[in-house]
Amino acid sequence: MNSNSRTLRGLSYESMVNWARRCSASALAVASMLGWSASAQTAVYNVYTNNQSGNGAMERDETDDYCSLAEAIDSVNAGSPQWGCKDAFPGSGAIIQFWEGSGGSFSQNHFDITKLIIKKDVVLFGSGAYIDSEGSSGLVIRATASVEVHGLTLTHTGSEGGRLIYSSGKLAIFNSTLQNGDVSGLDDGKPSSGGALYNAASGVISYVGPDVIIRNNKAKRGGGIYNSTGVIEDLRAQVVGNTATQAGGGIYNQSTYAVGMAPKGRIRTNGAIIDGNSAASGGGVFNKGKFYMSGTEVTNNSASGTDSGERTPAGQSLDGAGGGIVSSPFFRPNEPSLELAAELNTGDNSIISSNEASGYGGGVYNAAQANLVGVAITDNRAESGAAIFSVPQGLYYYCQVGSVDESATINDNTLHAPGPDRYSILDGILVDDQNLSLRRCSFTNTTASGNTWNWAEPSDPYCSPEMVRSGSVCPQ
């Protein structure tokens, strides 16, 4: 989706990003450049480094003569100035603008916080400011709030575990960095998921820009991002160097299902970079819901180790699976009727490259529904299925590589050690005898070269013959 077609309060996302970079030197400019004024009911709160950096960011004191970051957020939540804060344009909508005070550069004077809860709509214009969080969740966005983050670097600095943003509301992020969150040592479930960003079931993340970096974060699931059955509509960020001790080094997309309702948990990436992440399963991405890739690079990720805690509905262990991506259905034990297929769709010149799995599926491990078109799957490594390993199961399943309209390329994928029943382009397992033709993979408009040749099986050197659909041909 073209960012210029997306608007917020009358401005396209692209124009807002450009404006944020050239933000001028007064609160009046903040409102006027956004097209807001007193008549538009917009409050502007200014926070400064000279008297609010360090622990001062959390101060709440009506007797002092400045507005701390905590006091400004309290004012936003209340809908009127609190603690002696003053707003440049009194009203209901709100902007918090960060400024360097006299002798107080952003680089030397960070805003130190524990936890700040945002309950109403606000735009945070960081202009290069740093927020150091010592709490378990630095910024908490309630379901009642719509928040935009511009030009901020959020870092976790506490000795205890903590993530950077927890959102159950609406969120958009521009020109910012989220780094060093770590919840891997916390209790299982929500506390230990989403090292940088946790998007709750009611959360809608409308936009995460290409100049957003999510790096060096750690969790049990979702080292960078954990989407807990919410929606991420337009992810363009660089998700790099994150770690999950269990699954989803870069991103974990959770799904759920209730009778009579469509499955939840949806992420769409547009030109995102998912690089250098690691996990025991799904080094780059672990998907249980719907994951759509457009022009996205999933590169240099790795899956290795044990105790990922992940299995397919049919019971296959996912330890060491999916160096780039694992896509496996959400299911409930003892309720096979609710085993819905996860969806993985690629397109628009996406790349899945240079990923490595200690087990199966160097590029992709598919246990559900995969439509791998408009994609180059190259230079991946695994024990077998270096490019693709498919174990289709659940109520719906599909495996398509390439299409009439969008080709696919599968080049230079290699096995850790060639041998019998190991295949570099496609391997997999047919888990039952139902609809075997549909459970196999189909190749259309797909080219291949440089992949490891299975010298032990010269008649079928690149694809497991039982995994190729009748009428289709494994690319050579």
Side-chain angles (χ1 to χ4, degrees):
M1 183 179 294
N2 191 315
S3 62
N4 288 320
S5 69
R6 300 188 57 80
T7 60
L8 189 62
R9 295 192 173 103
L11 283 175
S12 72
Y13 279 134
E14 192 69 29
S15 65
M16 293 185 77
V17 170
N18 291 337
W19 178 84
R21 289 173 176 158
R22 58 179 195 271
C23 181
S24 57
S26 73
L28 177 61
V30 174
S32 63
M33 289 295 290
L34 281 172
W36 295 357
S37 66
S39 62
Q41 298 293 294
T42 301
V44 178
Y45 296 99
N46 297 310
V47 298
Y48 294 86
T49 58
N50 58 351
N51 51 13
Q52 295 168 58
S53 57
N55 293 330
M58 290 297 298
E59 287 185 0
R60 292 178 169 92
D61 184 354
E62 194 166 356
T63 64
D64 60 29
D65 59 354
Y66 65 88
C67 183
S68 73
L69 179 56
E71 291 170 338
I73 288 178
D74 286 351
S75 300
V76 170
N77 293 337
S80 61
Q82 306 293 306
W83 306 102
C85 287
K86 299 178 178 61
D87 56 345
F89 298 98
S92 55
I95 301 170
I96 295 177
Q97 173 71 57
F98 294 74
W99 301 101
E100 291 182 329
S102 177
S105 68
F106 286 141
S107 61
Q108 298 297 319
N109 295 267
H110 296 190
F111 294 82
D112 293 345
I113 68 171
T114 51
K115 179 166 71 174
L116 291 172
I117 299 175
I118 303 174
K119 300 178 182 179
K120 289 189 177 181
D121 297 359
V122 67
V123 178
L124 304 177
F125 273 106
S127 303
Y130 293 78
I131 294 180
D132 291 349
S133 169
E134 298 181 354
S136 59
S137 288
L139 297 180
V140 177
I141 301 168
R142 296 298 192 213
T144 53
S146 178
V147 176
E148 296 173 22
V149 175
H150 296 254
L152 279 171
T153 295
L154 286 81
T155 304
H156 181 72
T157 57
S159 58
E160 302 294 329
R163 72 173 60 87
L164 304 172
I165 299 177
Y166 175 94
S167 179
S168 56
K170 296 179 180 179
L171 175 64
I173 308 175
F174 307 81
N175 190 30
S176 296
T177 299
L178 280 62
Q179 62 187 15
N180 301 338
D182 186 353
V183 294
S184 61
L186 301 181
D187 293 337
D188 289 342
K190 181 167 67 175
S192 67
S193 300
L197 175 59
Y198 188 108
N199 189 44
S202 60
V204 177
I205 299 177
S206 58
Y207 184 80
V208 185
D211 46 10
V212 173
I213 302 173
I214 300 173
R215 67 183 176 201
N216 196 37
N217 301 284
K218 190 174 182 180
K220 289 182 179 177
R221 287 182 169 87
I225 299 171
Y226 186 91
N227 184 42
S228 179
T229 75
V231 175
I232 302 178
E233 294 179 337
D234 193 354
L235 177 65
R236 302 176 180 232
Q238 303 169 56
V239 183
V240 296
N242 303 284
T243 302
T245 58
Q246 294 182 339
I251 300 170
Y252 192 109
N253 185 36
Q254 180 63 279
S255 181
T256 189
Y257 173 75
V259 176
M261 297 180 63
K264 300 177 69 177
R266 186 175 79 249
I267 297 176
R268 183 179 298 275
T269 68
N270 290 298
I273 296 174
I274 303 169
D275 182 86
N277 305 285
S278 62
S281 182
V285 176
F286 195 103
N287 172 53
K288 286 188 173 181
K290 298 182 179 182
F291 194 86
Y292 305 97
M293 292 170 48
S294 176
T296 292
E297 299 179 14
V298 179
T299 54
N300 300 302
N301 304 286
S302 63
S304 64
T306 57
D307 299 323
S308 71
E310 301 288 352
R311 290 183 175 274
T312 70
Q316 288 83 24
S317 171
L318 291 171
D319 288 354
I325 302 171
V326 167
S327 187
S328 181
F330 167 83
F331 72 102
R332 294 175 179 173
N334 304 317
E335 294 185 76
S337 64
L338 298 182
E339 293 174 8
L340 297 175
E343 295 182 24
L344 171 63
N345 293 275
T346 66
D348 195 23
N349 298 313
S350 290
I351 297 171
I352 302 173
S353 178
S354 303
N355 305 287
E356 181 165 0
S358 63
Y360 301 137
V364 175
Y365 187 111
N366 167 52
Q369 185 173 357
N371 193 36
L372 304 174
V373 303
V375 63
I377 306 175
T378 63
D379 293 297
N380 301 287
R381 287 174 54 85
E383 181 178 339
S384 193
I388 305 165
F389 193 91
S390 187
V391 194
Q393 51 203 265
L395 291 180
Y396 306 99
Y397 35 82
Y398 189 73
C399 179
Q400 174 69 42
V401 184
S403 70
V404 173
D405 296 325
E406 292 189 272
S407 64
T409 303
I410 304 177
N411 293 341
D412 302 318
N413 298 281
T414 60
L415 304 174
H416 294 314
D421 299 320
R422 295 184 179 183
Y423 303 92
S424 57
I425 292 180
L426 173 65
D427 196 6
I429 303 171
L430 297 176
V431 297
D432 61 36
D433 295 330
Q434 300 295 317
N435 298 315
L436 290 181
S437 177
L438 291 177
R439 290 181 181 273
R440 296 183 170 104
C441 293
S442 178
F443 293 94
T444 302
N445 196 15
T446 300
T447 59
S449 67
N451 301 286
T452 296
W453 177 64
N454 187 341
W455 50 268
E457 300 181 47
S459 62
D460 297 295
Y462 301 109
C463 295
S464 169
E466 75 168 359
M467 294 307 301
V468 179
R469 191 175 302 172
S470 176
S472 186
V473 177
C474 178
Q476 305 293 315

